[in-house]
Short mmCIF file of all heavy atoms in Angstrom, two decimals:
data_model
loop_
_atom_site.label_atom_id
_atom_site.label_comp_id
_atom_site.label_asym_id
_atom_site.label_seq_id
_atom_site.Cartn_x
_atom_site.Cartn_y
_atom_site.Cartn_z
N GLY U 1361 -8.99 3.83 3.06
CA GLY U 1361 -7.98 4.87 2.98
C GLY U 1361 -8.49 6.24 2.58
O GLY U 1361 -7.85 7.25 2.87
N ILE U 1362 -9.65 6.32 1.92
CA ILE U 1362 -10.03 7.61 1.33
C ILE U 1362 -10.33 8.66 2.40
O ILE U 1362 -10.23 9.85 2.12
CB ILE U 1362 -11.22 7.48 0.35
CG1 ILE U 1362 -12.49 7.01 1.05
CG2 ILE U 1362 -10.88 6.56 -0.79
CD1 ILE U 1362 -13.73 7.12 0.16
N PHE U 1363 -10.68 8.23 3.61
CA PHE U 1363 -10.99 9.23 4.65
C PHE U 1363 -9.74 9.81 5.29
O PHE U 1363 -9.82 10.68 6.15
CB PHE U 1363 -11.91 8.63 5.73
CG PHE U 1363 -11.68 7.17 6.02
CD1 PHE U 1363 -10.52 6.74 6.66
CD2 PHE U 1363 -12.61 6.24 5.65
CE1 PHE U 1363 -10.31 5.41 6.92
CE2 PHE U 1363 -12.42 4.90 5.91
CZ PHE U 1363 -11.26 4.47 6.55
N PHE U 1364 -8.54 9.35 4.88
CA PHE U 1364 -7.30 9.89 5.41
C PHE U 1364 -6.71 11.01 4.55
O PHE U 1364 -5.81 11.72 4.98
CB PHE U 1364 -6.24 8.78 5.55
CG PHE U 1364 -6.54 7.80 6.65
CD1 PHE U 1364 -6.67 6.45 6.36
CD2 PHE U 1364 -6.68 8.22 7.96
CE1 PHE U 1364 -6.93 5.53 7.37
CE2 PHE U 1364 -6.95 7.31 8.98
CZ PHE U 1364 -7.08 5.96 8.67
N PHE U 1365 -7.19 11.16 3.32
CA PHE U 1365 -6.56 12.11 2.40
C PHE U 1365 -6.87 13.55 2.80
O PHE U 1365 -8.04 13.93 2.90
CB PHE U 1365 -7.02 11.88 0.96
CG PHE U 1365 -6.60 10.55 0.41
CD1 PHE U 1365 -7.53 9.68 -0.13
CD2 PHE U 1365 -5.27 10.17 0.42
CE1 PHE U 1365 -7.16 8.45 -0.65
CE2 PHE U 1365 -4.88 8.94 -0.08
CZ PHE U 1365 -5.82 8.08 -0.61
N PRO U 1366 -5.84 14.40 3.00
CA PRO U 1366 -6.08 15.82 3.28
C PRO U 1366 -6.81 16.51 2.13
O PRO U 1366 -7.62 17.40 2.35
CB PRO U 1366 -4.67 16.39 3.47
CG PRO U 1366 -3.81 15.23 3.83
CD PRO U 1366 -4.40 14.07 3.07
N GLN U 1367 -6.50 16.09 0.89
CA GLN U 1367 -7.14 16.65 -0.29
C GLN U 1367 -7.82 15.51 -1.05
O GLN U 1367 -7.27 14.97 -2.00
CB GLN U 1367 -6.12 17.34 -1.18
CG GLN U 1367 -5.36 18.48 -0.50
CD GLN U 1367 -4.33 19.10 -1.41
OE1 GLN U 1367 -4.61 20.00 -2.21
NE2 GLN U 1367 -3.10 18.62 -1.31
N LEU U 1368 -9.02 15.15 -0.60
CA LEU U 1368 -9.72 14.02 -1.19
C LEU U 1368 -9.95 14.20 -2.69
O LEU U 1368 -9.79 13.27 -3.46
CB LEU U 1368 -11.06 13.80 -0.47
CG LEU U 1368 -11.95 12.70 -1.04
CD1 LEU U 1368 -11.26 11.35 -0.95
CD2 LEU U 1368 -13.29 12.67 -0.32
N ASP U 1369 -10.32 15.42 -3.09
CA ASP U 1369 -10.59 15.65 -4.50
C ASP U 1369 -9.36 15.41 -5.35
O ASP U 1369 -9.44 14.89 -6.47
CB ASP U 1369 -11.14 17.06 -4.73
CG ASP U 1369 -10.22 18.15 -4.20
OD1 ASP U 1369 -9.32 17.85 -3.39
OD2 ASP U 1369 -10.40 19.32 -4.58
N ARG U 1370 -8.19 15.74 -4.80
CA ARG U 1370 -6.93 15.52 -5.52
C ARG U 1370 -6.66 14.02 -5.69
O ARG U 1370 -6.29 13.57 -6.77
CB ARG U 1370 -5.78 16.20 -4.77
CG ARG U 1370 -4.40 15.95 -5.33
CD ARG U 1370 -4.20 16.60 -6.67
NE ARG U 1370 -2.91 16.23 -7.24
CZ ARG U 1370 -2.48 16.62 -8.43
NH1 ARG U 1370 -3.24 17.41 -9.18
NH2 ARG U 1370 -1.31 16.24 -8.89
N ALA U 1371 -6.85 13.27 -4.61
CA ALA U 1371 -6.61 11.83 -4.67
C ALA U 1371 -7.56 11.15 -5.65
O ALA U 1371 -7.15 10.31 -6.46
CB ALA U 1371 -6.75 11.22 -3.29
N MET U 1372 -8.85 11.53 -5.59
CA MET U 1372 -9.81 10.92 -6.49
C MET U 1372 -9.51 11.26 -7.95
O MET U 1372 -9.69 10.43 -8.85
CB MET U 1372 -11.22 11.38 -6.12
CG MET U 1372 -11.67 10.96 -4.72
SD MET U 1372 -11.68 9.18 -4.44
CE MET U 1372 -13.05 8.68 -5.49
N ALA U 1373 -9.05 12.48 -8.18
CA ALA U 1373 -8.68 12.87 -9.54
C ALA U 1373 -7.49 12.04 -10.04
O ALA U 1373 -7.43 11.65 -11.21
CB ALA U 1373 -8.34 14.36 -9.59
N GLU U 1374 -6.56 11.76 -9.14
CA GLU U 1374 -5.40 10.93 -9.50
C GLU U 1374 -5.83 9.49 -9.79
O GLU U 1374 -5.35 8.87 -10.74
CB GLU U 1374 -4.37 10.96 -8.37
CG GLU U 1374 -3.53 12.21 -8.33
CD GLU U 1374 -2.60 12.29 -9.53
OE1 GLU U 1374 -1.46 11.78 -9.44
OE2 GLU U 1374 -3.00 12.83 -10.58
N PHE U 1375 -6.75 8.96 -8.98
CA PHE U 1375 -7.25 7.61 -9.24
C PHE U 1375 -7.87 7.53 -10.63
O PHE U 1375 -7.63 6.58 -11.38
CB PHE U 1375 -8.31 7.23 -8.20
CG PHE U 1375 -7.77 7.06 -6.80
CD1 PHE U 1375 -8.63 6.99 -5.72
CD2 PHE U 1375 -6.41 6.96 -6.55
CE1 PHE U 1375 -8.15 6.83 -4.43
CE2 PHE U 1375 -5.91 6.80 -5.26
CZ PHE U 1375 -6.79 6.73 -4.20
#
Side-chain angles (χ1 to χ4, degrees):
I1362 64 170
F1363 34 69
F1364 290 122
F1365 295 126
Q1367 301 178 85
L1368 176 62
D1369 56 343
R1370 174 68 186 178
M1372 298 301 290
E1374 282 291 270
F1375 292 166

